[in-house]
């Protein structure tokens, strides 16, 4: 299976109004209102992130794109041969996602994984309220990072079944993070699980399938700097200060979204091309990316 990249994702939230302000003023995304929430636009696509009104803050679904109907049909055949239960979208779901074809499956953590083709390109240009432009195109929207329960099962699912390839790994204490690509973006997906002494209870409860952060890549470093200022000026909690990642070389900061998980806002990541040899880094950042309470400590 060859996925084109991250197409979209959806979240459930009880904080629609905060999200509207955050998405427009801090992230520089274009917001439209729907029956049950908001759609956020980052490029020529009609939407990239959907927010659905709910009682809780939760990850909803992630949409991985394939080039067309033939690729979707062969993805279904591969999944069914592997014994995966594949559900086909009805007309209502196709209309909601605004795509031509869609199936959905569940990953080993209960994450709803959608595979689709035929997203809609808007006829109006994307105009960011903050002047931001995002790197998408053949690299897809950005990346999503999850906490997972069973690292090995999750790794097999995404590499053997969905065709992701490893870019690198990072070991942090008992935790291992896998960074996976499916196009030139260094990673469209990453996940972290306890691999060393997994039976020992972690200090902080890990909720498998929980979104840790999503990433948007701007095409200019000043866009990141302006967003960093706007985040701080608006009282948005900064999760990690400005810094540079060791593996994809992304210059970024992390802010806490209204839902509580984080968004990485970055610029300048390297791209990868296959064949690619995955290595292991022993820290996620070259410099920066500090917890603000540790600043100056
Ligand atoms: Fe990231």
């Amino acid at each position: 299976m060859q996925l084109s990249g991250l197409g979209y994702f959806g979240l459930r939230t009880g904080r629609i109004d905060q999200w509207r302000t955050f998405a427009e003023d801090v992230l520089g995304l274009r917001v439209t209102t729907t029956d049950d929430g908001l759609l956020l636009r980052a490029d020529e696509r009609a939407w990239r992130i959907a927010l659905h009104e709910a009682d809780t803050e939760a990850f909803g679904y992630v949409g991985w794109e394939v080039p067309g109907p033939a690729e979707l049909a062969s993805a279904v055949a591969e999944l069914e041969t592997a014994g995966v239960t594949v559900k086909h979208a009805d007309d209502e779901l196709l209309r909601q996602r605004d795509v031509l074809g869609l199936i959905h499956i569940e990953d080993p953590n209960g994450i709803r994984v959608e595979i689709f083709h035929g997203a809609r390109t808007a006829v109006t240009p994307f105009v960011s309220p903050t002047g931001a432009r995002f790197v998408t195109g053949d690299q897809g929207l950005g990346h999503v990072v999850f906490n997972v329960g069973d690292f090995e099962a999750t790794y097999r699912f995404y590499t053997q079944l969905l065709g992701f390839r490893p870019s690198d790994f990072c070991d942090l204490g008992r935790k291992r993070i896998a960074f996976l690509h499916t196009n030139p973006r260094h990673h469209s997906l990453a996940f972290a699980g306890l691999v060393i002494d997994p039976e020992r209870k972690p200090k902080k409860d890990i909720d498998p399938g929980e979104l840790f952060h999503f990433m948007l890549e701007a095409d200019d470093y000043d866009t990141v700097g302006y967003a960093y200022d706007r985040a701080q000026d608006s009282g948005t909690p900064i999760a990690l200060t400005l810094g540079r990642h060791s593996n994809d070389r992304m210059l970024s900061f992390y802010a806490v979204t209204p839902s509580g998980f984080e968004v990485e806002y970055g610029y300048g990541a390297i791209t990868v091309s296959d064949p690619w040899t995955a290595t292991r880094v022993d820290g996620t950042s070259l410099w920066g990316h500090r917890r603000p309470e540790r600043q100056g400590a």
Side-chain angles (χ1 to χ4, degrees), residues 238-241 290-297:
I238 300 297
L240 293 176
T241 60
R290 298 184 177 197
R291 297 269 162 205
E293 60 268 23
R294 274 177 26 207
Q295 277 178 287

Side-chain angles (χ1 to χ4, degrees), residues 89-127:
D90 58 13
D91 289 346
E92 172 61 18
L93 185 57
L94 292 177
R95 192 191 59 75
Q96 269 184 26
R97 300 288 190 267
D98 212 351
V99 297
L100 295 179
L102 188 155
I103 60 112
H104 56 102
I105 56 176
E106 228 179 61
D107 94 344
N109 309 282
I111 295 167
R112 180 175 163 127
V113 173
E114 301 185 347
I115 302 175
F116 74 94
H117 78 87
R120 187 162 60 87
T121 296
V123 290
T124 53
F126 168 68
V127 181

Side-chain angles (χ1 to χ4, degrees), residues 143 187 213 254 264:
H143 67 231
H187 57 284
H213 73 261
Y254 288 63
E264 176 182 11

Side-chain angles (χ1 to χ4, degrees), residues 22-278:
F22 180 73
E24 280 180 338
D25 298 352
V26 177
L27 304 180
L29 300 171
R30 194 93 207 164
V31 176
T32 54
T33 305
T34 61
D35 293 346
D36 77 331
L38 306 173
L39 291 178
L40 312 183
R41 218 179 135 183
D43 60 4
E44 76 289 350
R45 291 289 173 91
W47 70 281
R48 288 290 198 173
I49 301 169
L51 300 163
H52 303 279
E53 181 102 58
D55 303 336
T56 51
E57 304 307 308
F59 186 77
Y61 50 87
V62 54
W64 299 105
E65 189 162 20
V66 289
E71 288 81 2
L72 187 61
S74 61
V76 169
E78 279 179 49
L79 290 165
E80 285 179 340
T81 304
V84 177
T85 307
V86 176
K87 293 183 178 148
H88 293 260
D90 58 13
D91 289 346
E92 172 61 18
L93 185 57
L94 292 177
R95 192 191 59 75
Q96 269 184 26
R97 300 288 190 267
D98 212 351
V99 297
L100 295 179
L102 188 155
I103 60 112
H104 56 102
I105 56 176
E106 228 179 61
D107 94 344
N109 309 282
I111 295 167
R112 180 175 163 127
V113 173
E114 301 185 347
I115 302 175
F116 74 94
H117 78 87
R120 187 162 60 87
T121 296
V123 290
T124 53
F126 168 68
V127 181
S128 162
T130 63
R133 283 183 308 269
F134 298 98
V135 178
T136 57
D138 69 350
Q139 296 193 54
L141 173 61
H143 67 231
V144 282
V145 181
F146 296 97
N147 287 316
V148 302
D150 185 335
F151 182 91
E152 294 302 334
T154 307
Y155 189 78
R156 281 195 301 275
F157 178 87
Y158 283 103
T159 56
Q160 291 174 20
L161 223 47
L162 297 195
F164 281 89
R165 298 171 297 281
S167 300
D168 44 52
F169 301 92
C170 179
D171 280 2
L172 292 175
R174 297 166 59 208
K175 199 162 78 171
R176 176 165 297 159
I177 312 172
F179 297 87
L180 306 179
H181 66 269
T182 188
N183 62 36
R185 187 177 294 288
H186 176 277
H187 57 284
S188 295
L189 171 71
F191 52 85
L194 298 175
V195 289
I196 300 149
D197 198 4
E199 298 304 314
R200 208 174 84 216
K201 209 175 146 27
K203 268 189 236 142
K204 181 176 163 272
D205 273 351
I206 290 179
D207 186 7
E210 176 187 69
L211 181 68
F212 169 45
H213 73 261
F214 69 89
M215 186 282 297
L216 296 173
E217 183 176 6
D219 73 345
D220 182 81
Y221 56 68
D222 287 333
T223 304
V224 177
Y226 290 131
Y228 194 45
D229 277 357
R230 284 195 311 273
Q232 293 175 89
D233 291 347
S234 64
T236 301
I238 300 297
L240 293 176
T241 60
L242 200 64
R244 188 149 217 158
H245 276 307
S246 52
N247 57 353
D248 66 0
R249 304 279 155 157
M250 181 83 75
L251 176 87
S252 60
F253 72 92
Y254 288 63
V256 181
T257 68
S259 290
F261 54 77
E262 296 169 14
V263 56
E264 176 182 11
Y265 202 86
Y267 161 79
I270 59 162
T271 55
V272 297
S273 61
D274 290 299
W276 177 267
T277 301

